[in-house]
Amino acid sequence: MAGKISLYDQVNRSFDKAAELTDHHPSLLAQIRECNAVYHMSFPIKRDDGTIETIHAWRAEHSHHKLPSKGGIRYSLLVNEDEVMALAALMTYKCALVDVPFGGAKGGVKIASHNYSPGELERITRRLTCELIRKNFIGPGIDVPAPDFGTGPREMAWIADTYQTLSAGELNSLGCVTGKPISQGGIRGRIEATGRGVFFGIREACGLAEEMKPLGLTTGIEGKKIVVQGLGNVGYHVAHFLEEAGAVLVGIAEYEGAVQNPGGIDLEALVAHRKETGSILNFPGAANLAESKDALELDCDILVPAALENQITRENAPRIRAKIVAEAANGPTTFKAGEILAEKGILVIPDTYLNAGGVTVSYFEWIKNLSHVRFGRLEKRSMAAAMGRMADAVEEITGKRLPGQREMYARGAGEADLVASGLEDTMIESFHQVRETQKSLDAKPDMRTAAYVLAINKIALCYQELGIFP
Ligand code: NAD
C-alpha cells in the first residue's frame, strides 16, 4: 500500500486540482498555497497530583492576505503540525468563500480533554494563551482563535480572560477570541452556528431539482433519511435542524459505537439516553452496529460526517450508500475517496463551504466586540414601532384587521434574529456563488473543486490588488 497521505497533502491536492482550472501565474498560486507561519510550543503544566507534564501545541497561520487570521483550537491526541497546517489552509479557503475578511489559521493541543480535570484544562488553556501572546500569535488584529473539536465556550472564556489580564487597557481585547459565553462578550447563535449553517447548505442543495433528479431524490428536506457521525457541537445541531425540518435520523455514530433505526431515531431521546447511560448504544427501538464506522455505510439519503477528518477513505468509499455526503467536519473525505464518490455519482457538499457557518458567526462576534454594542440594541424598538405604524396604516386603508397577533408585525430584530439572518444569507449567497463557478467552468468540476476555484480567485485578486511589501 502506498504511504499514508497527510491531511495537508490532501488539502493541497484539492488546491492543485482546482488551480489547474484557473489562469493565475504559478508563483501567485504557490504563495496562496503555502502556510505562512507555524509555531510549535511545548510548555509545562502542573497536574493535580503535583507531577509536571509537558504539553505540545501548535498554531498555524496559513495566510495573512487579510488580517486577523482566524481559526479554531482543538484539543485532541491526534493533533500534529501537519494537521493544524491543513486545517489552517482550509480556513483560508473557507473565509474567502463566505467573504469573511480573515486569513486562515488553526491551533491544536495534543491532549485528550477527558484525561484532565477542569482545573488542569484551565491551566493548559491559560498557559497556551500566554505562549501565543509571547510570540504575537493572538490578538484582535493578529490572530483570533475559536472553538473546535474538544473545546467550547469555557475554554474561549479562559483565553479571553488571560489575554485581557495581560493586555490591560487594550480596548478591543475581547475580540482576541470568539465562541465565548454570552456573558463574556460572546454572541447569541454562535454555539449552533456551524450546525445551522450546515443545515442551510444542505437545504439549498436539496432545493434544486436539477441536483436532486440525477440522485433519484425529490426536492426538500422532509422525509430524507439521515446518518450523522459525531454528536458533538456540530453533529448535534445539524441533526437537530434537519429533524426539525422533517428529516428522519436513521443512524447516529459516536466514538463508543453506532445505532440505527430505519424508522427514525428521536434525537433528544437519544441524547437523554446517552446522558443517563454514558453511551448511545442500547437505545430502545434501535439496533447497535458492530463498529461505529459501519454507520457511514448505512443506506440513507444524506450522510453527515461531523466528527473528524479522514473518515471516508479509499477503503470504505466504495461501500458508501448515501446519495449526498454533507461534510460538516473538516476534511472527512480523503482526496482519493472524493474521486470514488464522484464516480459513484454521489453529491459531496464540501467542508470548505458547508461548515463555514461557524467562522461566519465568529466574524459577527468579532464585529460586536470591536463595536462594543449588541446587534439590534439601538434599532430594535424603533423598527418595531415603524412596523407597528405600517400595520396600523394597512388596517386603516383596508378597513380590516390583520390576522394573528400584533407582535407578528410590530416586531424588531434582536441579536439572535440578526445573527440567524446574516448566517442564512451568507450560506445561501455562497452556495450559489460556488454553483455559478461550477457552471462557468468548461471542466464542470465537482463542487469541492469549484469551491476551491472560487476561493483561489478571490484570494488571487486580493494579492494582485495588495501588491507585495516591501
Ligand atoms: P466536538 O468535540 O463538539 O464534537 C465531536 C464529536 O465527535 C464528539 O461528540 C466526539 O465524541 C465524536 N467523535 C470523536 N471521534 C469519533 C469517532 N471516531 N466516531 C464518531 N464520533 C466521534 O467538535 P465539533 O466542534 O462538533 O467539531 C466536529 C468537526 O466539525 C471537526 O472536524 C471540526 O473541525 C469541525 N468544525 C467545527 C466547527 C465549530 O464551530 N465547532 C466549525 C467548523 C468545523
Side-chain angles (χ1 to χ4, degrees):
M1 195 185 113
K4 200 165 171 265
I5 300 160
S6 79
L7 190 62
Y8 190 50
D9 285 339
Q10 308 268 7
V11 171
N12 283 336
R13 282 185 179 201
S14 295
F15 179 96
D16 293 342
K17 187 176 168 186
E20 276 178 22
L21 303 181
T22 71
D23 49 17
H24 302 298
H25 194 276
S27 56
L28 177 57
L29 290 167
Q31 168 55 29
I32 296 173
R33 188 182 188 271
E34 277 312 308
C35 186
N36 287 3
V38 193
Y39 174 27
H40 175 191
M41 296 148 264
S42 57
F43 53 83
I45 66 130
K46 212 175 251 175
R47 305 275 326 231
D48 290 343
D49 64 5
T51 58
I52 291 169
E53 185 176 322
T54 305
I55 303 288
H56 287 271
W58 289 263
R59 184 75 184 171
E61 292 174 356
H62 174 261
S63 179
H64 297 129
H65 73 288
K66 287 194 189 282
L67 287 170
S69 50
K70 183 98 187 71
I73 294 189
R74 56 171 56 184
Y75 287 0
S76 157
L77 277 179
L78 302 177
V79 163
N80 57 47
E81 187 161 317
D82 178 277
E83 184 188 79
V84 290
M85 283 164 67
L87 295 169
L90 278 178
M91 284 303 295
T92 294
Y93 309 129
K94 195 178 300 187
C95 290
L97 275 180
V98 290
D99 295 324
V100 164
F102 296 144
K106 202 75 172 193
V109 182
K110 197 176 178 62
I111 54 164
S113 296
H114 58 262
N115 290 336
Y116 297 86
S117 70
E120 290 171 335
L121 286 172
E122 181 172 352
R123 291 200 285 282
I124 292 171
T125 307
R126 288 186 184 276
R127 179 64 191 252
L128 168 76
T129 312
C130 285
E131 297 296 328
L132 293 172
I133 293 170
R134 276 179 3 164
K135 297 284 186 213
N136 224 12
F137 265 72
I138 186 171
I142 299 169
D143 188 353
V144 181
D148 194 79
F149 189 95
T151 58
R154 180 182 65 170
E155 286 74 17
M156 302 307 116
W158 290 332
I159 292 175
D161 184 57
T162 309
Y163 185 85
Q164 282 195 300
T165 306
L166 297 177
S167 62
E170 193 180 318
L171 191 60
N172 292 325
S173 55
L174 265 185
C176 73
V177 65
T178 59
K180 302 179 290 291
I182 294 179
S183 66
Q184 303 300 322
I187 195 166
R188 285 161 188 80
R190 173 59 183 92
I191 288 180
E192 62 271 40
T194 307
R196 194 193 282 267
V198 170
F199 166 74
F200 288 141
I202 294 174
R203 192 189 65 185
E204 280 313 291
C206 289
L208 291 173
E210 61 190 285
E211 287 288 353
M212 293 302 103
K213 218 169 158 203
L215 303 173
L217 295 173
T218 52
T219 54
I221 298 284
E222 197 160 354
K224 293 232 165 21
K225 292 178 288 169
I226 314 284
V227 171
V228 178
Q229 183 199 36
L231 215 46
N233 180 337
V234 178
Y236 166 78
H237 286 105
V238 184
H240 167 78
F241 290 116
L242 286 171
E243 192 181 53
E244 198 175 63
V248 185
L249 298 171
V250 296
I252 306 265
E254 253 297 332
Y255 71 89
E256 70 268 18
V259 289
Q260 71 154 326
N261 182 352
I265 295 166
D266 180 327
L267 179 66
E268 292 309 326
L270 182 71
V271 169
H273 169 81
R274 190 173 192 225
K275 213 170 173 183
E276 202 183 306
T277 66
S279 167
I280 60 169
L281 296 172
N282 305 319
F283 180 61
N288 295 338
L289 297 185
E291 294 276 342
S292 173
K293 249 184 150 181
D294 291 349
L296 300 173
E297 298 166 29
L298 286 173
D299 184 23
C300 65
D301 298 318
I302 307 176
L303 170 63
V304 186
L308 283 173
E309 55 266 20
N310 292 335
Q311 295 303 297
I312 305 174
T313 61
R314 68 169 75 205
E315 193 277 317
N316 62 0
R319 299 191 299 276
I320 300 293
R321 284 189 281 167
K323 314 251 176 23
I324 300 171
V325 172
E327 293 186 333
N330 281 311
T333 312
T334 64
F335 182 79
K336 181 66 193 162
E339 290 184 339
I340 298 171
L341 297 183
E343 276 162 28
K344 283 164 65 88
I346 294 173
L347 170 65
V348 177
I349 313 178
D351 51 359
T352 37
Y353 158 69
L354 195 64
N355 66 32
V359 74
T360 301
V361 175
S362 273
Y363 169 46
F364 300 158
E365 180 177 332
W366 181 77
I367 296 171
K368 174 185 179 178
N369 295 150
L370 300 194
S371 45
H372 300 270
V373 64
R374 183 180 75 236
F375 287 106
R377 180 165 178 179
L378 301 186
E379 65 273 35
K380 187 176 169 198
R381 296 278 160 184
S382 158
M383 200 192 291
M387 298 304 283
R389 288 195 295 276
M390 187 74 79
D392 288 342
V394 170
E395 289 183 350
E396 199 179 316
I397 292 165
T398 60
K400 290 181 188 161
R401 284 198 63 75
L402 288 165
Q405 298 287 323
R406 189 162 179 80
E407 290 77 52
M408 278 172 56
Y409 309 100
R411 190 173 170 275
E415 184 171 85
D417 304 302
L418 292 167
V419 165
S421 158
L423 173 60
E424 183 169 9
D425 184 59
T426 302
M427 294 309 293
I428 293 174
E429 181 68 27
S430 300
F431 181 88
H432 292 287
Q433 281 186 22
V434 174
R435 289 261 309 159
E436 287 309 312
T437 306
Q438 197 176 19
K439 283 185 186 165
S440 72
L441 294 164
D442 293 338
K444 299 286 171 271
D446 55 29
M447 211 175 157
R448 186 190 316 281
T449 308
Y452 268 89
V453 169
L454 179 59
I456 292 170
N457 286 342
K458 289 184 184 187
I459 300 165
L461 178 67
C462 184
Y463 272 116
Q464 281 156 355
E465 289 172 347
L466 272 177
I468 289 176
F469 177 83

